[in-house]
Amino acid sequence: MLEEYSRVYARIDIDAIKYNLESMRKNIPDGTRIMAVVKTDAYGHGATRIALSLENVDYIWGYAVATAEEAFELRDAGAIKPILVLGYTFPYAYRRMLLEGVRPSVFRMDMAQELSDCGQELVDSGELTELPCVHIAVDTGMSRIGVTPDEKGADFVSKVMNMPGIQVEGIFTHFARADEADLSNAREREKVFADFVKSVEETTGKKIPLHHCANSASIISVPESSMDMVRAGVTMYGMWPSEDVPRDIVSLKPTMELISHIVMIKEVPAGTPVSYGGTYVTDKPTKIATIPVGYGDGYPRSLSNKGYVLINGHHANIIGRVCMDQFMVDVTDIHYVLEGDEVVLLGRDKNTGEEISAELLGEMSGRFNYELTCDFNKRIPRVFVGK
Ligand SMILES: *Cc1c(COP(=O)(O)O)cnc(C)c1O
């Protein structure tokens, strides 16, 4: 390992990501494509590297991101598969999006009109040989973006389908409640979406090639909602959508480990305060190890006096407040521990196989597993293994 990764690094296992995708593929009907959701730098795992490693996987249709800039970053890195921007995009980005096969999600008339004008210009000027593709977002219960699955929404969809400068390649919705034990809401919303799309296709006499609604939770729990394509996010990264999603249907491997090294060990007497505010005071002679990671890296400050890390097969409890760049753990009971020893903040201890999962870290810090890995920021180098 390079010395520059000693302070802290996130080890990202590309083979495990592929294993997770393959596991999901086995749970959904044959021929269903998967859209790899790589927004927020692939939930903190490194979007460009991951996308490039999926370019040759045939069942991966393309990538989903949240912003035009995330899409352009993938294009700049050489990703060729289609990209869908899941949220609203502002007009400044349309020209480059359409030129580079980045599909906007459409749900506002002004937006559709502007995209169609832009598409028409690009085709007229010969810069594009085919009409650019868009996907229409339908709101079936998030109350976030999307047209409503009613007459007004149907009118919107048929208008957009008849616009001269764009083609409707896909139509999608997003479930608000597919990650619950009771799946009746998700099933009902799926039906609302399917009926809506069917009626629009009947009225216009045109088929929209890609219908998609399933996220990670639905891939596991409601695979019959897979339609033409599913959108896999958190499960790609080996994390679980919620506690209520069953763990025995799709097998997932963790894909990120967060590793650091002890930079100082000191022995202090009983009664010694530790870190800002002296919120922890030793009650016995204590051996303290300092870890050079903090909330400035995205390691949660709410782990202060609560969390633990793994060192040489043992738990070491966090004592005192997590600082911006460092925190302290109690290693009194660990007999073999030296400055420079490896510290597992997230992931598996090589000696015992014990794991601090993103879910456990979330529980200890009062945070959401999705949010945690997204928040590990650019100060943490990502080191990729596998291909
Ligand atoms: C983020 C997102 C997903 C992926 O969700 P996961 O729970 O991570 O699978 C799918 N669809 C949309 C519209 C999203 O915003």
Side-chain angles (χ1 to χ4, degrees), residues 28-141:
I28 55 180
D30 274 351
T32 310
R33 315 294 296 279
I34 297 182
M35 190 190 288
V37 181
V38 297
K39 60 193 181 188
T40 317
D41 203 21
Y43 297 39
H45 293 64
T48 53
R49 179 65 178 74
I50 292 170
L52 292 179
S53 75
L54 299 177
E55 278 283 298
N56 296 320
V57 180
D58 57 358
Y59 60 82
I60 302 290
W61 173 81
Y63 316 106
V65 295
T67 71
E69 284 66 29
E70 288 182 327
F72 299 153
E73 199 186 330
L74 296 181
R75 287 287 179 253
D76 288 342
I80 293 180
K81 284 185 188 272
I83 303 174
L84 173 66
V85 178
L86 295 165
Y88 177 75
T89 36
F90 292 82
Y92 73 89
Y94 294 170
R95 195 182 145 80
R96 182 167 176 197
M97 287 174 78
L98 299 190
L99 273 172
E100 299 189 359
V102 177
R103 281 75 164 154
S105 291
V106 174
F107 45 88
R108 259 169 53 180
M109 198 46 90
D110 58 340
M111 180 188 195
Q113 193 57 59
E114 199 146 352
L115 282 164
S116 175
D117 292 347
C118 184
Q120 180 106 58
E121 264 174 49
L122 294 173
V123 170
D124 288 348
S125 67
E127 286 169 275
L128 282 180
T129 50
E130 270 179 44
L131 287 182
C133 297
V134 303
H135 290 221
I136 294 177
V138 181
D139 180 10
T140 57

Side-chain angles (χ1 to χ4, degrees), residues 219-282:
I219 292 169
I220 298 173
S221 305
V222 205
E224 60 278 16
S225 75
S226 297
M227 301 186 178
D228 301 299
M229 179 154 78
V230 298
R231 304 186 302 269
V234 80
T235 40
M236 236 176 96
Y237 310 108
M239 299 190 289
W240 296 93
S242 82
E243 275 177 13
D244 294 326
V245 172
R247 306 285 155 111
D248 55 352
I249 298 176
V250 168
S251 154
L252 298 178
K253 288 185 185 172
T255 62
M256 181 193 280
E257 294 194 321
L258 197 62
I259 309 291
S260 178
H261 294 88
I262 297 172
V263 294
M264 184 161 214
I265 293 179
K266 58 179 60 173
E267 301 196 24
V268 301
T272 306
V274 179
S275 193
Y276 290 115
T279 58
Y280 184 89
V281 180
T282 56

